[in-house]
Amino acid sequence: MDEMNQERNDLRYIEIGYNVQYYRKHMHITQEQLAERLDISRQHLGAIEAPKIVRPVSMDLLFRIADELDIDVRLLLDFHSNQLNNVK
């Protein structure tokens, strides 16, 4: 994978983390509560949600997160960053 594609994917993972955090907070669920429901560590979920940290997420985990938050998985993949548009 070339550097520009990797940079774009990294930004996507960061945006997924922002989206997970947004919908989790909207549901008034703590990281610890969601992590427990997902059977992952709170540290792992924290790394997914952390700004500026690239933490790849499997599709399986993404589906499970969406199910636990009772949202359509597409909402977690809704990218708004202008940075993505600047990566050619």
Side-chain angles (χ1 to χ4, degrees), residues 33-41 61 64:
Q33 290 168 326
L34 182 57
E36 187 175 303
R37 293 178 189 182
L38 296 169
D39 197 29
I40 63 173
S41 71
L61 182 54
R64 290 172 33 220

Side-chain angles (χ1 to χ4, degrees), residues 10 15-16 19-21 23 25 27 29 32-34 37-39 45 54 57 62 65 75 78 82 87:
D10 289 352
E15 288 236 13
I16 288 170
N19 291 339
V20 169
Q21 182 181 57
Y23 289 105
K25 287 182 175 183
M27 298 292 294
I29 300 171
E32 190 170 316
Q33 290 168 326
L34 182 57
R37 293 178 189 182
L38 296 169
D39 197 29
L45 181 59
V54 176
V57 180
L62 201 63
I65 291 170
L75 293 173
D78 192 11
N82 290 330
V87 179

Side-chain angles (χ1 to χ4, degrees), residues 52-67:
K52 311 264 188 233
I53 292 182
V54 176
R55 177 60 66 106
V57 180
S58 72
M59 292 302 293
D60 178 66
L61 182 54
L62 201 63
F63 294 150
R64 290 172 33 220
I65 291 170
D67 289 346

Side-chain angles (χ1 to χ4, degrees), residues 1-14 54-56 84 87-88:
M1 179 180 306
D2 67 30
E3 190 174 320
M4 282 188 280
N5 282 334
Q6 185 61 53
E7 183 180 352
R8 179 172 289 197
N9 287 345
D10 289 352
L11 289 170
R12 287 174 175 146
Y13 284 122
I14 289 169
V54 176
R55 177 60 66 106
L84 280 169
V87 179
K88 304 288 184 215

